[in-house]
Amino acid sequence: MRQILFDSIGKLDLLVWVLVILFFCGSALLFGGNLQYSFIGAGGVILEMLLIGMAIELIIECLKNTKGIGTLTGFITNGPEALCLIVGLAVGDIIFAASTPLGSNFMNPILLFVAALVCGQVAATAKTRAGYTLTTVLGTAAFAGSFFFMKPQQYLYWVVGAVTFSSIMFFLRPDENHSEEEEDHHINPKLWLLPAIILLTVTGYFLDGVVTFAATHSHAPKGVIGFLVLATLTSWPEFKSCLALLNRNKHLAAILNITVSNITNIWLAAAGVATYLVLR
């Protein structure tokens, strides 16, 4: 367990933590925010990122001998988006409900590239099922973006088109090669898998609120917060998954983690929109 914690913290994490503190506290100084609350908010963001990284390491350690690990992590890392969708539907705000899963579809592929760059595996990752990856990423991003230009009377057509495309891409996903030589587990998978998934889901759900708290008290520019901070940090589970998988030379698994995550985001949003249409 201690080794898992150490594995979840790397030089990149430490660098990002420093940048988080500098960003929020620097914004507070520049734009007249509350420095003390900004520092507390930055600390909360760092704690969330640490817990997410640890949860991801636990999940991948538990599943490392499982065939289809990329697909599984793609589903699991969407737990926070699912919770945000439910909250949005509960208050009757379909735009808010759908924005979290759909917004992640733009940042996920960017973070896959960053993870490959950090691991020095850009070429190997780019060569792995490039046609499928580009089709899925661009298609799911297009459907995600088009939703926000739809009128309510067009939602049903969007649901049908988005679900059809994403389902086709899911069933066309490539099979992951499974090594016959199994690795020894450092922890008991049966004991730790469920708690790790719960930890990831809960911490991921609260990440948006913690970042918003820090942003509010730092008076950081809303445009910068929305794109660079919220979009990046709320996709942190997918990013950590890609890092962990690429460090294990599982290129296809890392790609499927992102493509399946994007597909799942479409399904979540479509389910939310369908529920909204039935209940309104």
Side-chain angles (χ1 to χ4, degrees), residues 11-271:
K11 293 181 180 179
L12 178 64
D13 296 276
L14 296 176
L15 174 61
V16 171
W17 295 353
V18 171
L19 291 176
V20 166
I21 294 174
L22 290 177
F23 177 82
F24 288 116
C25 293
S27 295
L29 292 173
L30 287 173
F31 302 108
N34 187 307
L35 182 60
Q36 181 179 357
Y37 284 148
S38 297
F39 183 78
I40 293 173
V45 171
I46 291 170
L47 176 61
E48 288 270 333
M49 294 167 72
L50 172 62
L51 292 174
I52 286 172
M54 185 172 66
I56 290 294
E57 287 290 344
L58 282 169
I59 290 169
I60 292 181
E61 173 65 24
C62 291
L63 298 177
K64 64 183 180 182
N65 291 324
T66 304
K67 184 177 181 180
I69 184 174
T71 299
L72 289 173
T73 55
F75 284 130
I76 292 170
T77 53
N78 280 74
E81 284 88 345
L83 281 179
C84 289
L85 177 75
I86 293 171
V87 171
L89 287 175
V91 298
D93 189 343
I94 186 57
I95 298 298
F96 170 76
S99 63
T100 299
L102 293 181
S104 297
N105 278 12
F106 297 97
M107 189 54 62
N108 283 348
I110 295 175
L111 292 179
L112 171 62
F113 173 77
V114 174
L117 190 65
V118 170
C119 297
Q121 300 189 37
V122 175
T125 304
K127 293 177 182 177
T128 305
R129 302 305 297 264
Y132 173 82
T133 303
L134 285 175
T135 302
T136 306
V137 166
L138 293 177
T140 52
F143 274 106
S146 66
F147 173 77
F148 299 100
F149 296 95
M150 296 285 178
K151 297 178 181 179
Q153 56 267 34
Q154 298 173 317
Y155 283 171
L156 180 60
Y157 301 107
W158 181 88
V159 169
V160 173
V163 171
T164 300
F165 172 79
S166 56
S167 297
I168 290 173
M169 299 315 298
F170 178 77
F171 288 111
L172 290 178
R173 74 191 188 283
D175 290 331
E176 298 177 59
N177 294 324
H178 182 59
S179 175
E180 295 182 0
E181 182 179 350
E182 295 193 350
E183 303 176 49
D184 292 332
H185 287 286
H186 297 104
I187 57 175
N188 186 341
K190 295 181 180 179
L191 180 64
W192 285 102
L193 181 58
L194 181 59
I197 294 174
I198 294 173
L199 176 63
L200 174 64
T201 302
V202 173
T203 53
Y205 171 73
F206 284 106
L207 180 59
D208 183 82
V210 173
V211 174
T212 301
F213 174 86
T216 300
H217 291 288
S218 66
H219 291 181
K222 291 183 178 179
V224 177
I225 283 292
F227 182 75
L228 291 180
V229 181
L230 280 175
T232 302
L233 294 182
T234 52
S235 292
W236 196 250
E238 285 83 358
F239 179 59
K240 293 295 291 186
S241 296
C242 287
L243 282 177
L245 291 169
L246 289 175
N247 281 327
R248 292 168 169 81
N249 293 315
K250 295 181 180 291
H251 304 98
L252 182 56
I255 288 172
L256 287 173
N257 174 59
I258 294 300
T259 55
V260 171
S261 178
N262 274 25
I263 289 170
T264 306
N265 282 331
I266 294 292
W267 288 347
L268 287 172

